[in-house]
Amino acid sequence: MKISQEEIKKIALLSRLEVKEDRMASVEKELSDILTYVAELNELELDDVEVMAHAVPLHNVFREDETKPSLDHDLALSNAPEEEDGYFKVPRVVQE
């Protein structure tokens, strides 16, 4: 499948990529090769092929939730540049 340089420029613009003129011929060949391969894949008979999300089966390994002691409140605030009423005080970022 052939792709034109105008189509490449449009794709580059939409994808915010810069394709320099000296690379245009190689990009044209690479994209044409990709489109040809995709066209070949579209010709395959896949009606009996089961849909899959991964090439190999995945099994999650979960651990039990365990309660653990957390950082002491005063220790957590000890490195704060500013604190107010037991909380970190940070500059306002949302304007009203």
Side-chain angles (χ1 to χ4, degrees):
M1 181 175 269
K2 188 80 168 141
I3 187 168
S4 69
Q5 290 191 1
E6 286 73 33
E7 290 172 316
I8 294 172
K9 289 177 184 176
K10 184 176 181 179
I11 292 168
L13 177 69
L14 292 172
S15 58
R16 296 186 174 128
L17 296 173
E18 180 182 355
V19 179
K20 298 188 189 241
E21 287 298 323
D22 60 335
R23 292 254 314 130
M24 190 65 70
S26 65
V27 170
E28 181 179 350
K29 181 186 179 328
E30 291 169 3
L31 285 176
S32 292
D33 290 346
I34 291 169
L35 291 173
T36 300
Y37 184 69
V38 170
E40 288 176 23
L41 292 176
N42 283 334
E43 294 174 6
L44 295 175
E45 181 63 42
L46 302 174
D47 291 338
D48 296 328
V49 177
E50 186 177 335
V51 178
M52 64 180 182
H54 298 280
V56 295
L58 295 178
H59 302 284
N60 286 330
V61 179
F62 293 108
R63 62 171 173 78
E64 294 296 322
D65 287 336
E66 298 175 8
T67 306
K68 296 181 181 179
S70 62
L71 188 61
D72 178 65
H73 185 79
D74 293 327
L75 182 60
L77 288 173
S78 66
N79 288 322
E82 290 186 60
E83 65 99 3
E84 183 176 294
D85 298 327
Y87 297 98
F88 289 95
K89 184 174 181 182
V90 295
R92 170 173 267 170
V93 293
V94 178
Q95 303 298 325
E96 293 180 31

